[in-house]
Amino acid sequence: MTKKIGFIVGSLRTASYNKKVAHAFAELLPEDFEAFFLEIGNLPLYNEDLDAEGHIPVEWQAFRDQLMPLDGVFFFTPEYNRSVPGALKNALDVGSRPYGQSSWDGKPALVVSVSPGAIGGFGANHHLRQSLVFLNMPTLQQPEAYIGGINNLMDEDGNVQEGTLDYFKTIVGKYVEFFNKLKA
């Protein structure tokens, strides 16, 4: 049976390094895993007043409906002001509501932070992990996936250097092991 893994990219920029890395990771999934990219840029900001029967924005409901059947989630995030982008935090909030009906619950997660900077989005990576603890998403701890200096590791078309690609393969392989242990 194919396992569906949601891919959520925190950067909304068309030529985002995070999007390119996410696509590289999707190519590395084994045959029995399928990448499913979820759009977060169209989600209205979370407002509990709208989370009532008959008022729920269609974008929220569509996102929740896409998220619910997924078996796991890969998050790719840049670092904005030592944290995650607002669109990514909003997606976490939308998917976690209404209270007691979180679409994230129990889904094994992977956090990858990507940056042209040397520290590879360390702050965003850890902020996101804090939220995932509360959302009850077991998250791969090792290897940690801080991808710094990305502009020197891939070309404009998203082709990744061989050594970096080997690192990506290691991360995906460890996630698959982690996922299989949790779902055994």
Side-chain angles (χ1 to χ4, degrees), residues 71-72 102-109 135-138 179 182-183:
D71 299 301
S102 176
S103 300
W104 305 109
D105 189 43
K107 292 177 177 23
L135 296 174
N136 193 34
M137 296 185 77
F179 179 95
L182 287 173
K183 297 295 184 172

Side-chain angles (χ1 to χ4, degrees), residues 90-159:
N90 187 54
L92 293 176
D93 294 341
V94 168
S96 72
R97 299 288 190 241
Y99 184 77
Q101 299 177 39
S102 176
S103 300
W104 305 109
D105 189 43
K107 292 177 177 23
L110 171 66
V111 176
V112 179
S113 51
V114 179
S115 171
I119 61 173
F122 177 87
N125 193 301
H126 282 266
H127 260 199
L128 180 53
R129 288 170 178 274
Q130 282 183 307
S131 294
L132 300 184
V133 167
F134 182 78
L135 296 174
N136 193 34
M137 296 185 77
T139 304
L140 180 69
Q141 299 301 310
Q142 292 291 328
E144 295 176 303
Y146 313 113
I147 315 298
I150 191 63
N151 50 328
N152 299 314
L153 303 174
M154 71 173 18
D155 65 24
E156 289 183 18
D157 296 324
N159 299 308

Side-chain angles (χ1 to χ4, degrees), residues 38 63-71 95 101-104 107:
L38 290 105
F63 181 72
R64 291 169 179 167
D65 291 346
Q66 291 172 343
L67 185 58
M68 191 57 79
L70 296 176
D71 299 301
Q101 299 177 39
S102 176
S103 300
W104 305 109
K107 292 177 177 23

Side-chain angles (χ1 to χ4, degrees), residues 24-119:
F25 271 68
E27 297 284 323
L28 298 173
L29 286 172
E31 286 183 15
D32 57 337
F33 283 74
E34 177 186 357
F36 182 77
F37 283 80
L38 290 105
E39 175 60 45
I40 64 170
N42 64 341
L43 298 173
L45 290 175
Y46 185 77
N47 175 345
E48 192 172 3
D49 290 343
L50 301 178
D51 217 354
E53 201 63 44
H55 294 103
I56 300 171
V58 294
E59 297 89 350
W60 290 4
Q61 193 59 55
F63 181 72
R64 291 169 179 167
D65 291 346
Q66 291 172 343
L67 185 58
M68 191 57 79
L70 296 176
D71 299 301
V73 182
F74 282 20
F75 293 95
F76 298 85
T77 185
E79 183 168 295
Y80 292 177
N81 302 310
R82 298 286 185 248
S83 189
V84 297
L88 180 52
K89 178 61 170 84
N90 187 54
L92 293 176
D93 294 341
V94 168
S96 72
R97 299 288 190 241
Y99 184 77
Q101 299 177 39
S102 176
S103 300
W104 305 109
D105 189 43
K107 292 177 177 23
L110 171 66
V111 176
V112 179
S113 51
V114 179
S115 171
I119 61 173

Side-chain angles (χ1 to χ4, degrees), residues 1-18:
M1 186 165 91
T2 301
K3 293 105 176 164
K4 291 183 72 172
I5 305 299
F7 276 53
I8 297 180
V9 179
S11 174
L12 304 181
R13 190 170 62 88
T14 303
S16 161
Y17 292 120
N18 280 272

